[in-house]
Amino acid sequence: MSPAQIEALLYELCVVLGFCLPTKEHLRFQSEPPADVDAFTDAVIRADGLDPYADIPLHLRRDVRARVAKHCRAAEDEFYNQRMRDDQNLA
């Protein structure tokens, strides 16, 4: 995900689900985002000071994961569509 896409995801997690990360963690996600949906989900929850498997209800972890997955899919779609446009411009 691009920094702008990560920013949009972190904003949504904060506003909708209440996972508002400290500035230091927010910047870390921008520069070194976790590699996959589950790692990103767990990292957000940990950055908020919680254990993703013990401190929050399962439905809340699932809500965080679903939003992370939605943003990752959108980023992949955007990347793919850009590649298709680039390939068409080369032809």
XYZ file of all heavy atoms in Angstrom:
729
model
N 0.844 -1.190 0.000
C 0.000 0.000 0.000
C 0.884 1.247 0.000
O 1.949 1.245 0.603
C -0.891 0.014 1.240
C -2.069 -0.936 1.174
S -3.300 -0.662 2.463
C -2.477 -1.386 3.857
N 0.383 2.247 -0.632
C 1.090 3.528 -0.664
C 0.882 4.252 0.668
O -0.040 3.915 1.430
C 0.552 4.390 -1.802
O -0.742 4.856 -1.477
N 1.709 5.229 0.964
C 1.499 6.014 2.189
C 0.097 6.625 2.264
O -0.519 6.645 3.333
C 2.584 7.085 2.120
C 3.688 6.427 1.357
C 2.973 5.595 0.306
N -0.426 7.087 1.136
C -1.780 7.666 1.133
C -2.834 6.603 1.448
O -3.802 6.877 2.177
C -2.069 8.314 -0.216
N -2.645 5.407 0.929
C -3.588 4.316 1.201
C -3.513 3.887 2.667
O -4.541 3.599 3.288
C -3.310 3.136 0.275
C -3.623 3.445 -1.169
C -3.000 2.453 -2.130
O -1.925 1.905 -1.889
N -3.678 2.227 -3.249
N -2.309 3.853 3.213
C -2.152 3.512 4.622
C -2.785 4.590 5.492
O -3.471 4.286 6.472
C -0.665 3.308 4.974
C -0.151 2.051 4.286
C -0.460 3.227 6.488
C 1.336 1.867 4.334
N -2.599 5.839 5.113
C -3.202 6.952 5.848
C -4.723 6.823 5.872
O -5.357 7.002 6.908
C -2.791 8.290 5.224
C -3.321 9.485 5.954
C -2.765 9.631 7.355
O -1.607 9.250 7.600
O -3.512 10.119 8.220
N -5.313 6.491 4.733
C -6.765 6.325 4.657
C -7.229 5.174 5.547
O -8.244 5.288 6.253
C -7.189 6.088 3.211
N -6.488 4.085 5.553
C -6.823 2.940 6.401
C -6.718 3.309 7.872
O -7.638 3.041 8.657
C -5.914 1.753 6.086
C -5.973 0.565 7.041
C -7.388 0.017 7.186
C -5.006 -0.517 6.594
N -5.620 3.930 8.269
C -5.446 4.297 9.682
C -6.504 5.305 10.121
O -6.991 5.234 11.255
C -4.036 4.838 9.916
C -2.903 3.821 9.734
C -1.551 4.494 9.924
C -3.060 2.628 10.672
N -6.868 6.211 9.241
C -7.928 7.174 9.549
C -9.244 6.432 9.807
O -9.939 6.690 10.785
C -8.083 8.175 8.401
C -9.209 9.149 8.617
C -9.028 10.271 9.424
C -10.454 8.943 8.035
C -10.071 11.168 9.636
C -11.490 9.827 8.239
C -11.301 10.936 9.047
O -12.339 11.814 9.265
N -9.578 5.493 8.932
C -10.813 4.721 9.093
C -10.798 3.907 10.381
O -11.796 3.874 11.112
C -11.016 3.810 7.884
C -12.320 3.041 7.925
C -12.549 2.218 6.685
O -12.132 2.634 5.581
O -13.157 1.142 6.806
N -9.683 3.267 10.670
C -9.593 2.475 11.899
C -9.773 3.354 13.138
O -10.383 2.931 14.121
C -8.258 1.734 11.962
C -8.076 0.605 10.946
C -6.646 0.078 10.991
C -9.079 -0.511 11.173
N -9.279 4.575 13.079
C -9.409 5.495 14.199
C -10.848 5.995 14.343
O -11.461 5.873 15.403
C -8.453 6.669 14.029
S -8.545 7.890 15.358
N -11.382 6.526 13.267
C -12.697 7.172 13.314
C -13.821 6.156 13.542
O -14.731 6.391 14.336
C -12.947 7.990 12.027
C -14.367 8.500 11.948
C -11.956 9.140 11.952
N -13.744 5.031 12.870
C -14.842 4.069 12.914
C -14.716 3.095 14.095
O -15.702 2.804 14.773
C -14.944 3.292 11.582
C -16.045 2.244 11.642
C -15.187 4.259 10.427
N -13.495 2.598 14.338
C -13.329 1.557 15.354
C -12.598 2.022 16.612
O -12.480 1.261 17.568
C -12.599 0.344 14.755
C -13.336 -0.362 13.613
C -12.497 -1.497 13.072
C -14.702 -0.858 14.071
N -12.068 3.231 16.607
C -11.420 3.760 17.805
C -9.968 3.369 17.983
O -9.398 3.589 19.045
N -9.339 2.813 16.955
C -7.921 2.459 17.029
C -7.096 3.631 16.508
O -6.676 3.651 15.359
C -7.626 1.170 16.248
C -8.113 -0.054 16.935
C -9.382 -0.533 16.707
C -7.308 -0.713 17.851
C -9.846 -1.665 17.366
C -7.760 -1.829 18.522
C -9.037 -2.310 18.276
N -6.896 4.604 17.385
C -6.171 5.827 17.039
C -4.751 5.703 17.578
O -4.523 5.783 18.786
C -6.878 7.044 17.629
S -8.589 7.188 17.077
N -3.819 5.501 16.680
C -2.455 5.194 17.071
C -1.677 6.429 17.485
O -1.899 7.516 16.949
C -1.737 4.502 15.912
C -2.425 3.263 15.341
C -1.566 2.659 14.244
C -2.724 2.252 16.416
N -0.730 6.253 18.401
C 0.175 7.359 18.737
C 0.963 7.777 17.490
O 1.178 6.979 16.575
C 1.114 6.755 19.785
C 0.429 5.524 20.289
C -0.451 5.046 19.178
N 1.390 9.023 17.458
C 2.085 9.566 16.293
C 3.277 8.713 15.886
O 3.479 8.432 14.694
C 2.547 11.008 16.575
O 1.396 11.781 16.901
C 3.232 11.610 15.369
N 4.070 8.266 16.845
C 5.252 7.455 16.534
C 4.855 6.170 15.803
O 5.487 5.793 14.807
C 6.001 7.123 17.831
C 7.239 6.301 17.628
C 7.926 6.005 18.944
C 9.135 5.129 18.753
N 9.780 4.781 20.018
N 3.809 5.512 16.276
C 3.351 4.277 15.630
C 2.756 4.576 14.258
O 2.959 3.834 13.302
C 2.326 3.558 16.508
C 2.892 3.035 17.804
C 3.955 1.973 17.571
O 3.822 1.161 16.621
O 4.927 1.940 18.337
N 2.022 5.656 14.177
C 1.415 6.071 12.908
C 2.510 6.249 11.848
O 2.383 5.744 10.723
C 0.653 7.383 13.139
C -0.283 7.745 12.046
N -1.617 7.447 12.089
C -0.075 8.381 10.873
C -2.196 7.886 11.006
N -1.282 8.457 10.247
N 3.575 6.918 12.206
C 4.687 7.143 11.278
C 5.382 5.838 10.916
O 5.819 5.644 9.780
C 5.680 8.138 11.867
C 5.163 9.563 12.040
C 6.173 10.416 12.809
C 4.823 10.183 10.699
N 5.489 4.946 11.884
C 6.120 3.645 11.619
C 5.311 2.853 10.588
O 5.870 2.222 9.688
C 6.262 2.842 12.913
C 7.022 1.532 12.722
C 7.254 0.828 14.045
N 6.028 0.481 14.735
C 5.297 -0.617 14.471
N 5.681 -1.452 13.518
N 4.213 -0.868 15.153
N 3.984 2.901 10.706
C 3.146 2.210 9.729
C 3.322 2.811 8.339
O 3.263 2.104 7.341
C 1.664 2.266 10.137
C 1.267 1.185 11.090
C 1.467 1.342 12.447
C 0.695 0.019 10.633
C 1.098 0.353 13.335
C 0.330 -0.987 11.516
C 0.541 -0.821 12.867
N 3.524 4.116 8.267
C 3.729 4.774 6.984
C 5.039 4.324 6.334
O 5.093 4.084 5.129
C 3.761 6.301 7.159
C 2.451 6.911 7.533
C 1.471 6.961 6.372
O 1.836 6.788 5.225
N 0.225 7.189 6.672
N 6.094 4.213 7.140
C 7.404 3.891 6.576
C 7.676 2.392 6.468
O 8.405 1.956 5.576
C 8.509 4.550 7.399
O 8.523 4.041 8.708
N 7.106 1.606 7.359
C 7.339 0.158 7.375
C 6.038 -0.593 7.628
O 5.851 -1.177 8.701
C 8.344 -0.201 8.472
C 9.695 0.449 8.324
C 10.589 0.176 9.520
O 10.370 -0.812 10.236
O 11.510 0.977 9.737
N 5.135 -0.608 6.663
C 3.861 -1.294 6.896
C 4.054 -2.803 7.013
O 4.906 -3.372 6.328
C 3.034 -0.943 5.660
C 4.027 -0.598 4.613
C 5.219 -0.025 5.335
N 3.297 -3.442 7.891
C 3.355 -4.905 7.968
C 3.010 -5.530 6.618
O 2.270 -4.955 5.808
C 2.296 -5.229 9.023
C 2.247 -3.992 9.876
C 2.425 -2.862 8.904
N 3.542 -6.713 6.394
C 3.525 -7.326 5.064
C 2.178 -7.887 4.615
O 1.898 -7.913 3.432
C 4.571 -8.433 5.005
N 1.354 -8.359 5.531
C 0.097 -8.973 5.103
C -1.045 -8.537 6.007
O -0.840 -7.825 6.990
C 0.214 -10.500 5.033
C 0.516 -11.142 6.382
O -0.145 -10.800 7.384
O 1.400 -12.007 6.430
N -2.244 -8.968 5.674
C -3.455 -8.532 6.365
C -3.402 -8.885 7.852
O -3.676 -8.038 8.713
C -4.712 -9.137 5.698
C -5.958 -8.863 6.516
C -4.865 -8.601 4.284
N -3.061 -10.124 8.183
C -3.049 -10.526 9.589
C -1.962 -9.805 10.376
O -2.197 -9.377 11.509
C -2.900 -12.042 9.720
C -4.171 -12.761 9.310
O -5.258 -12.341 9.752
O -4.088 -13.730 8.547
N -0.794 -9.656 9.782
C 0.294 -8.945 10.468
C -0.081 -7.485 10.689
O 0.181 -6.921 11.755
C 1.585 -9.054 9.664
N -0.710 -6.864 9.691
C -1.128 -5.470 9.812
C -2.189 -5.345 10.905
O -2.117 -4.456 11.756
C -1.687 -4.975 8.479
C -1.651 -3.485 8.326
C -0.761 -2.894 7.448
C -2.518 -2.666 9.035
C -0.725 -1.513 7.286
C -2.496 -1.289 8.885
C -1.592 -0.704 8.011
N -3.151 -6.254 10.893
C -4.221 -6.247 11.899
C -3.646 -6.351 13.300
O -3.965 -5.541 14.182
C -5.191 -7.423 11.644
O -5.771 -7.256 10.343
C -6.281 -7.494 12.691
N -2.805 -7.333 13.519
C -2.217 -7.533 14.846
C -1.355 -6.355 15.255
O -1.372 -5.932 16.417
C -1.404 -8.831 14.879
C -2.280 -10.070 14.765
O -3.516 -9.955 14.881
O -1.725 -11.160 14.529
N -0.613 -5.786 14.315
C 0.259 -4.654 14.627
C -0.550 -3.427 15.044
O -0.153 -2.705 15.959
C 1.153 -4.332 13.430
N -1.668 -3.179 14.384
C -2.531 -2.048 14.758
C -3.045 -2.232 16.180
O -3.003 -1.310 17.002
C -3.709 -1.900 13.770
C -4.799 -1.002 14.331
C -3.222 -1.371 12.437
N -3.512 -3.416 16.474
C -4.072 -3.678 17.802
C -2.980 -3.571 18.867
O -3.189 -2.960 19.922
C -4.767 -5.051 17.822
C -5.974 -5.023 16.867
C -5.203 -5.418 19.241
C -6.575 -6.378 16.571
N -1.810 -4.117 18.579
C -0.686 -4.015 19.531
C -0.239 -2.562 19.711
O 0.100 -2.144 20.812
C 0.475 -4.873 19.073
C 0.251 -6.345 19.309
C 1.515 -7.184 19.093
N 1.216 -8.567 19.339
C 0.981 -9.471 18.385
N 1.023 -9.129 17.112
N 0.693 -10.715 18.700
N -0.225 -1.799 18.623
C 0.181 -0.397 18.706
C -0.779 0.405 19.570
O -0.408 1.430 20.142
C 0.266 0.210 17.309
N -2.002 -0.079 19.681
C -2.990 0.562 20.538
C -2.876 0.052 21.979
O -3.683 0.425 22.831
C -4.397 0.314 19.981
C -5.404 1.347 20.430
O -5.077 2.546 20.380
O -6.511 0.951 20.828
N -1.882 -0.806 22.231
C -1.612 -1.279 23.590
C -2.376 -2.513 24.011
O -2.463 -2.819 25.201
N -2.903 -3.254 23.036
C -3.705 -4.436 23.349
C -3.105 -5.688 22.738
O -2.370 -5.624 21.756
C -5.129 -4.255 22.812
C -5.896 -3.049 23.331
C -7.180 -2.867 22.531
C -6.189 -3.188 24.807
N -3.442 -6.823 23.316
C -3.084 -8.120 22.749
C -4.219 -8.503 21.801
O -5.374 -8.597 22.227
C -2.936 -9.164 23.852
C -2.541 -10.530 23.335
O -2.994 -10.920 22.240
O -1.784 -11.217 24.033
N -3.919 -8.737 20.519
C -4.982 -9.004 19.557
C -5.742 -10.313 19.785
O -6.790 -10.530 19.176
C -4.261 -9.022 18.212
C -2.839 -9.248 18.524
C -2.601 -8.714 19.898
N -5.237 -11.159 20.658
C -5.910 -12.432 20.900
C -6.432 -12.575 22.319
O -7.107 -13.547 22.621
C -4.969 -13.596 20.564
C -4.592 -13.580 19.113
C -3.386 -13.018 18.705
C -5.451 -14.077 18.149
C -3.053 -12.969 17.359
C -5.121 -14.032 16.802
C -3.917 -13.479 16.418
O -3.596 -13.423 15.078
N -6.155 -11.597 23.178
C -6.596 -11.725 24.559
C -7.367 -10.514 25.069
O -8.271 -10.665 25.880
C -5.394 -11.989 25.471
N -7.007 -9.321 24.601
C -7.548 -8.099 25.199
C -8.776 -7.520 24.515
O -9.367 -6.575 25.032
C -6.465 -7.009 25.239
C -5.323 -7.361 26.166
O -5.539 -8.156 27.099
O -4.221 -6.842 25.962
N -9.138 -8.038 23.359
C -10.298 -7.487 22.670
C -11.234 -8.617 22.250
O -10.795 -9.749 22.052
C -9.907 -6.649 21.429
C -9.275 -7.514 20.345
C -8.977 -5.518 21.800
C -9.094 -6.786 19.025
N -12.514 -8.316 22.121
C -13.446 -9.345 21.648
C -13.099 -9.777 20.223
O -12.620 -8.971 19.418
C -14.812 -8.642 21.676
C -14.635 -7.424 22.504
C -13.183 -7.059 22.434
N -13.363 -11.016 19.941
C -13.047 -11.575 18.625
C -13.726 -10.781 17.506
O -13.117 -10.531 16.468
C -13.458 -13.051 18.556
C -13.155 -13.781 17.258
C -11.666 -13.726 16.934
C -13.625 -15.226 17.351
N -14.961 -10.356 17.729
C -15.663 -9.615 16.672
C -14.964 -8.296 16.357
O -14.953 -7.852 15.202
C -17.142 -9.378 17.026
C -17.345 -8.371 18.108
N -17.428 -7.022 17.854
C -17.471 -8.515 19.443
C -17.601 -6.373 18.993
N -17.625 -7.260 19.969
N -14.330 -7.669 17.345
C -13.624 -6.420 17.092
C -12.351 -6.679 16.284
O -12.033 -5.939 15.357
C -13.302 -5.702 18.399
C -12.627 -4.340 18.274
C -13.423 -3.400 17.376
C -12.446 -3.723 19.657
N -11.624 -7.740 16.612
C -10.446 -8.101 15.815
C -10.862 -8.397 14.382
O -10.203 -7.981 13.431
C -9.711 -9.298 16.400
C -8.439 -9.612 15.603
C -7.727 -10.867 16.071
N -6.472 -11.015 15.351
C -6.366 -11.407 14.080
N -7.430 -11.703 13.369
N -5.186 -11.502 13.500
N -11.984 -9.081 14.220
C -12.478 -9.386 12.875
C -12.855 -8.111 12.126
O -12.630 -8.011 10.923
C -13.676 -10.327 12.947
C -13.288 -11.741 13.308
C -14.486 -12.644 13.378
N -14.078 -14.000 13.693
C -14.874 -14.907 14.221
N -16.139 -14.630 14.479
N -14.428 -16.114 14.466
N -13.429 -7.141 12.835
C -13.773 -5.866 12.202
C -12.515 -5.138 11.730
O -12.485 -4.595 10.614
C -14.549 -4.967 13.161
C -15.974 -5.433 13.392
O -16.462 -6.300 12.636
O -16.609 -4.923 14.339
N -11.483 -5.117 12.565
C -10.216 -4.487 12.178
C -9.653 -5.215 10.958
O -9.274 -4.594 9.963
C -9.196 -4.485 13.344
C -7.827 -4.000 12.862
C -9.695 -3.644 14.504
N -9.628 -6.534 11.019
C -9.071 -7.327 9.916
C -9.838 -7.100 8.628
O -9.256 -6.984 7.546
C -9.065 -8.810 10.267
C -8.323 -9.637 9.238
C -8.398 -11.135 9.525
N -7.540 -11.874 8.629
C -7.782 -12.067 7.325
N -8.867 -11.560 6.756
N -6.942 -12.765 6.591
N -11.161 -7.032 8.702
C -11.976 -6.827 7.508
C -11.667 -5.481 6.850
O -11.571 -5.383 5.618
C -13.460 -6.907 7.860
N -11.467 -4.458 7.656
C -11.139 -3.141 7.096
C -9.739 -3.132 6.495
O -9.520 -2.542 5.437
C -11.309 -2.063 8.145
C -12.770 -1.846 8.469
C -13.013 -0.873 9.590
N -14.402 -0.909 9.986
C -15.391 -0.286 9.358
N -15.142 0.431 8.290
N -16.628 -0.373 9.803
N -8.796 -3.793 7.159
C -7.439 -3.897 6.607
C -7.494 -4.652 5.276
O -6.902 -4.213 4.282
C -6.482 -4.587 7.602
C -5.143 -4.896 6.952
C -6.292 -3.732 8.855
N -8.212 -5.769 5.241
C -8.314 -6.568 4.022
C -8.958 -5.761 2.891
O -8.507 -5.824 1.743
C -9.109 -7.841 4.287
N -9.989 -4.986 3.204
C -10.666 -4.166 2.192
C -9.688 -3.161 1.580
O -9.631 -3.014 0.355
C -11.847 -3.434 2.828
C -12.578 -2.513 1.875
C -13.670 -1.740 2.589
C -13.025 -0.594 3.343
N -13.969 0.376 3.875
N -8.899 -2.514 2.410
C -7.940 -1.533 1.906
C -6.811 -2.203 1.126
O -6.341 -1.653 0.126
C -7.387 -0.686 3.059
C -8.343 0.385 3.493
N -8.255 1.679 3.043
C -9.414 0.339 4.310
C -9.230 2.393 3.587
N -9.944 1.599 4.365
N -6.386 -3.375 1.562
C -5.340 -4.106 0.818
C -5.843 -4.523 -0.558
O -5.124 -4.396 -1.552
C -4.881 -5.327 1.610
S -3.827 -4.930 3.008
N -7.085 -4.996 -0.625
C -7.656 -5.375 -1.931
C -7.752 -4.165 -2.849
O -7.430 -4.248 -4.036
C -9.042 -6.012 -1.746
C -9.017 -7.475 -1.365
C -10.389 -8.113 -1.462
N -11.395 -7.416 -0.670
C -11.642 -7.639 0.617
N -10.951 -8.541 1.280
N -12.589 -6.964 1.242
N -8.190 -3.042 -2.290
C -8.297 -1.821 -3.100
C -6.925 -1.395 -3.615
O -6.795 -0.971 -4.771
C -8.935 -0.704 -2.281
N -5.895 -1.522 -2.776
C -4.535 -1.169 -3.197
C -4.058 -2.103 -4.298
O -3.437 -1.661 -5.272
C -3.586 -1.211 -1.998
N -4.345 -3.400 -4.164
C -3.965 -4.360 -5.204
C -4.695 -4.062 -6.507
O -4.100 -4.111 -7.587
C -4.262 -5.787 -4.749
C -3.332 -6.283 -3.681
C -3.737 -7.647 -3.137
O -4.792 -8.193 -3.555
O -3.018 -8.156 -2.276
N -5.985 -3.754 -6.410
C -6.762 -3.425 -7.603
C -6.198 -2.182 -8.286
O -6.069 -2.143 -9.514
C -8.236 -3.195 -7.251
C -8.961 -4.463 -6.869
O -8.404 -5.568 -7.085
O -10.083 -4.359 -6.326
N -5.874 -1.178 -7.506
C -5.321 0.050 -8.064
C -3.987 -0.223 -8.757
O -3.732 0.267 -9.851
C -5.137 1.082 -6.955
C -4.710 2.434 -7.442
C -4.637 3.447 -6.325
O -5.559 3.503 -5.492
O -3.626 4.190 -6.296
N -3.134 -1.036 -8.122
C -1.847 -1.401 -8.708
C -2.053 -2.154 -10.024
O -1.428 -1.845 -11.041
C -1.042 -2.251 -7.719
C 0.270 -2.729 -8.269
C 1.365 -1.879 -8.335
C 0.407 -4.034 -8.724
C 2.579 -2.322 -8.849
C 1.611 -4.482 -9.235
C 2.702 -3.620 -9.306
N -2.952 -3.126 -10.006
C -3.222 -3.922 -11.205
C -3.756 -3.036 -12.332
O -3.314 -3.145 -13.483
C -4.222 -5.037 -10.880
C -4.641 -5.835 -12.084
C -3.803 -6.808 -12.631
C -5.870 -5.605 -12.697
C -4.183 -7.539 -13.746
C -6.253 -6.327 -13.815
C -5.415 -7.294 -14.328
O -5.786 -8.001 -15.431
N -4.711 -2.185 -12.010
C -5.285 -1.303 -13.034
C -4.234 -0.365 -13.618
O -4.236 -0.100 -14.824
C -6.457 -0.515 -12.461
C -7.655 -1.395 -12.201
O -7.823 -2.443 -12.828
N -8.498 -0.997 -11.260
N -3.322 0.126 -12.776
C -2.256 0.987 -13.272
C -1.331 0.216 -14.211
O -0.923 0.724 -15.250
C -1.457 1.594 -12.118
C -0.382 2.565 -12.564
C -0.944 3.749 -13.330
O -1.894 4.385 -12.886
N -0.382 4.052 -14.488
N -1.022 -1.013 -13.848
C -0.184 -1.855 -14.717
C -0.851 -2.084 -16.064
O -0.196 -2.055 -17.103
C 0.113 -3.215 -14.057
C 0.975 -3.207 -12.836
C 2.458 -3.115 -13.139
N 2.954 -4.045 -14.116
C 3.539 -5.200 -13.868
N 3.732 -5.586 -12.630
N 3.982 -5.964 -14.840
N -2.154 -2.325 -16.037
C -2.891 -2.542 -17.285
C -2.846 -1.278 -18.149
O -2.620 -1.369 -19.363
C -4.345 -2.935 -16.996
C -4.490 -4.278 -16.321
S -3.949 -5.643 -17.357
C -5.240 -5.648 -18.572
N -3.032 -0.121 -17.538
C -2.961 1.140 -18.294
C -1.563 1.354 -18.858
O -1.396 1.753 -20.013
C -3.371 2.320 -17.406
C -4.866 2.394 -17.141
C -5.258 3.693 -16.458
N -4.690 3.850 -15.133
C -5.232 3.376 -14.019
N -6.372 2.701 -14.058
N -4.651 3.587 -12.864
N -0.546 1.058 -18.038
C 0.835 1.208 -18.502
C 1.123 0.276 -19.678
O 1.753 0.679 -20.661
C 1.827 0.920 -17.373
C 1.802 1.983 -16.280
O 1.201 3.065 -16.496
O 2.361 1.717 -15.198
N 0.658 -0.978 -19.580
C 0.864 -1.944 -20.659
C 0.163 -1.505 -21.937
O 0.692 -1.659 -23.038
C 0.392 -3.330 -20.242
C 1.283 -3.972 -19.211
O 2.401 -3.466 -18.972
O 0.859 -4.999 -18.629
N -1.028 -0.931 -21.799
C -1.767 -0.470 -22.977
C -1.065 0.719 -23.617
O -1.081 0.861 -24.837
C -3.200 -0.097 -22.590
C -4.048 -1.299 -22.263
C -5.403 -0.929 -21.726
O -5.679 0.223 -21.422
N -6.259 -1.934 -21.575
N -0.455 1.570 -22.803
C 0.253 2.726 -23.348
C 1.521 2.314 -24.086
O 1.971 3.028 -24.979
C 0.596 3.723 -22.237
C -0.632 4.437 -21.726
O -1.637 4.555 -22.429
N -0.580 4.913 -20.499
N 2.104 1.176 -23.711
C 3.307 0.704 -24.377
C 3.002 0.041 -25.706
O 3.867 -0.055 -26.578
C 4.063 -0.279 -23.476
C 4.687 0.329 -22.222
C 5.298 -0.791 -21.369
C 5.749 1.340 -22.586
N 1.779 -0.462 -25.844
C 1.406 -1.207 -27.064
C 1.166 -0.300 -28.243
O 1.051 0.831 -28.238
C 0.150 -2.035 -26.796
